[in-house]
Amino acid sequence: MSDVSSLGFNTRAIHAGQEPDPVTGAVVGGIIQSSTFAQDGIGQLRSGYEYGRGTNPTRDSLQAQLAAVEHGKHAFSFSSGLAAEDALIRAILRPGDHIVLGNDAYGGSYRLINRVLGPWGVTHSTADMASPEQVAAAATESSKLFWVETPSNPMMKITDIAALAELAHSHGALLLVDNTFASPYLQNPLDLGADIVVHSTTKYIGGHSDVIGGAVVVRDDELAEKIGFVQFAVGAVSGPMDAFLTTRGLKTLGVRMDRHSSNATQIAQWLQGRPGVEQVLYPGLPEHPGHELAKRQMKAFGGMISVQFAGGAAAARTVAESTKLFTLAESLGGIESLMNYPSEMTHASVKGTELAVPENLVRLSVGIEDASDLIDDLDAALKKI
Ligand SMILES: *Cc1c(COP(=O)(O)O)cnc(C)c1O
């Protein structure tokens, strides 16, 4: 289906880029594993396909679906979220250019910008992206890109995307939103003025913890041409099997996010004020400083909760290692609940830097199991501290 502009989110997710196979009528598109495509004469391509690094039908189908759900015009899918970010940065920045990066960005994004692209000549400063004063102070003449996650990982900070887009544009920079935590079901940054959306599709979009992938979505044709060129010329593309799994996951994103959000709301309310719990960071709680903004900017509050414990690192580690349904593991966004101790796991790469995560914090990726079972599991773990 090519024109999806009048359709709702779930209809887009299920139909955009998903045509029955013209030859067999198969309702679910094939996984086209072929690396290359037959030509009828020299340079005479049968249906536009030539070589799999450049284009592949299974990847095209995912890219059309991603563009539709993120209200973009062009989407590019990659072998991982970080591969997507790397391609994007190298497509649009040059040595000497500067990034203003959120001071609680995903550790791997920070590592990429600091340790891979830094030596290559891209500079950066970090700031609390929710503070316009700090962002303005961090921006330089060379700033070309503002980079924000909202909700942020793992501090669950909410940033006003529309306001930040204006600020970025007033500095002659583009605004990039890493929309991994919210997912396109809960929030569409391009509608709020952002220029670029990136995703780790490994998380909510794939949704089943069985595939690694990433995406970049934009509206601007010129930006798209640059990103498409790097995708083709460097080649960190998603393979056909990975693209297929991601497409399958994305079709059910809406129903999953509704359940993630309602489970997380129940769990955050249950955690609030429990003995040993110092603070619950969840934008769905009225006490959260970003609650009103999140209500305006997001459809619901998502499945991620961070919890800080009064008993410090020891208490946090005990809880992290004591649950049975919540599996201790990196990553997030799958149907099964996961528990993470960021300072030693997902965010170990930023230990000792300005992005370090408090050691009394655990992060929950609340799955779509029955909330009452998840609460029983947390209850038993909290009794051990
Ligand atoms: C996981 C993650 C990434 C990196 O994605 P990979 O698929 O692991 O490469 C980037 N941003 C956020 C917010 C993430 O959670």
Side-chain angles (χ1 to χ4, degrees):
M1 184 157 300
S2 50
D3 183 21
V4 295
S5 53
S6 63
L7 302 173
F9 179 89
N10 295 295
T11 315
R12 289 176 187 225
I14 290 166
H15 291 285
Q18 316 301 312
E19 298 294 345
D21 183 85
V23 178
T24 63
V27 168
V28 175
I31 305 167
I32 307 297
Q33 266 314 138
S34 193
S35 60
T36 190
F37 298 84
Q39 306 192 8
D40 289 327
I42 296 170
Q44 285 180 309
L45 311 181
R46 253 179 229 184
S47 57
Y49 291 101
E50 186 172 10
Y51 181 63
R53 173 165 32 74
T55 48
N56 167 283
T58 315
R59 189 164 86 239
D60 276 357
S61 147
L62 169 60
Q63 293 182 157
Q65 189 191 21
L66 285 166
V69 295
E70 204 43 288
H71 300 181
K73 188 169 167 198
H74 310 275
F76 301 91
S77 104
F78 291 89
S79 56
S80 73
L82 289 180
E85 295 178 5
D86 176 57
L88 179 271
I89 294 170
R90 288 198 280 157
I92 65 170
L93 299 190
R94 290 295 169 263
D97 288 347
H98 178 259
I99 302 175
V100 181
L101 177 69
N103 63 3
D104 57 351
Y106 173 69
S109 304
Y110 178 74
R111 181 176 53 208
L112 170 70
I113 290 166
N114 187 35
R115 292 181 54 194
V116 179
L117 296 158
W120 188 73
V122 170
T123 59
H124 72 274
S125 308
T126 57
D128 175 351
M129 301 308 273
S131 153
E133 297 76 30
Q134 271 200 35
V135 174
T140 73
E141 295 273 288
S142 313
S143 298
K144 294 281 164 56
L145 191 60
F146 285 21
W147 186 296
V148 69
E149 289 174 35
T150 176
S152 68
N153 174 14
M155 301 309 292
M156 305 305 294
K157 232 178 328 180
I158 305 293
T159 297
D160 186 333
I161 295 173
L164 189 60
E166 268 187 40
L167 191 58
H169 297 156
S170 76
H171 284 267
L174 300 175
L175 175 62
L176 175 150
V177 177
D178 180 337
N179 204 27
T180 299
F181 259 43
S183 89
Y185 178 66
L186 298 184
Q187 171 175 286
N188 292 122
L190 299 177
D191 288 344
L192 300 168
D195 304 284
I196 302 159
V197 169
V198 298
H199 279 285
S200 169
T201 57
T202 311
K203 315 293 170 53
Y204 284 108
I205 288 179
H208 297 72
S209 308
D210 55 7
V211 59
I212 300 278
V216 182
V217 188
V218 297
R219 285 186 181 159
D220 185 77
D221 295 337
E222 229 175 279
L223 269 179
E225 200 179 313
K226 291 180 183 169
I227 300 161
F229 176 71
V230 173
Q231 185 194 39
F232 161 71
V234 178
V237 293
S238 40
M241 188 67 193
D242 289 355
F244 171 79
L245 284 171
T246 307
T247 281
R248 187 169 71 161
L250 180 46
K251 289 175 182 170
T252 57
L253 180 65
V255 288
R256 286 187 284 107
M257 287 317 292
D258 281 339
R259 175 71 85 92
H260 283 298
S261 298
S262 84
N263 276 0
T265 300
Q266 291 172 63
I267 288 172
Q269 283 167 352
W270 180 85
L271 281 166
Q272 183 94 313
R274 287 227 101 61
V277 171
E278 183 183 278
Q279 204 177 1
V280 182
L281 307 176
Y282 184 66
L285 294 173
E287 296 78 11
H288 189 283
H291 179 66
E292 289 306 318
L293 177 57
K295 262 195 343 207
R296 283 208 306 276
Q297 189 167 276
M298 302 171 72
K299 196 178 292 170
F301 304 104
M304 300 302 298
I305 305 174
S306 288
V307 191
Q308 291 182 265
F309 291 95
R317 296 178 81 113
T318 299
V319 172
E321 292 178 344
S322 300
T323 51
K324 299 212 159 64
L325 288 175
F326 281 88
T327 302
L328 183 63
E330 307 222 353
S331 201
L332 62 111
I335 52 173
E336 63 290 287
S337 293
L338 299 180
M339 173 78 76
N340 170 40
Y341 183 60
S343 56
E344 297 287 345
M345 293 171 61
T346 46
H347 290 62
S349 61
V350 292
K351 213 176 169 176
T353 74
E354 64 231 287
L355 277 75
V357 174
E359 289 181 1
N360 70 340
L361 182 145
V362 300
R363 189 189 75 186
L364 311 181
S365 172
V366 177
I368 65 171
E369 302 96 332
D370 293 290
S372 57
D373 293 330
L374 297 176
I375 287 173
D376 288 348
D377 191 33
L378 290 171
D379 195 26
L382 259 63
K383 290 207 166 95
K384 303 208 166 140
I385 60 176

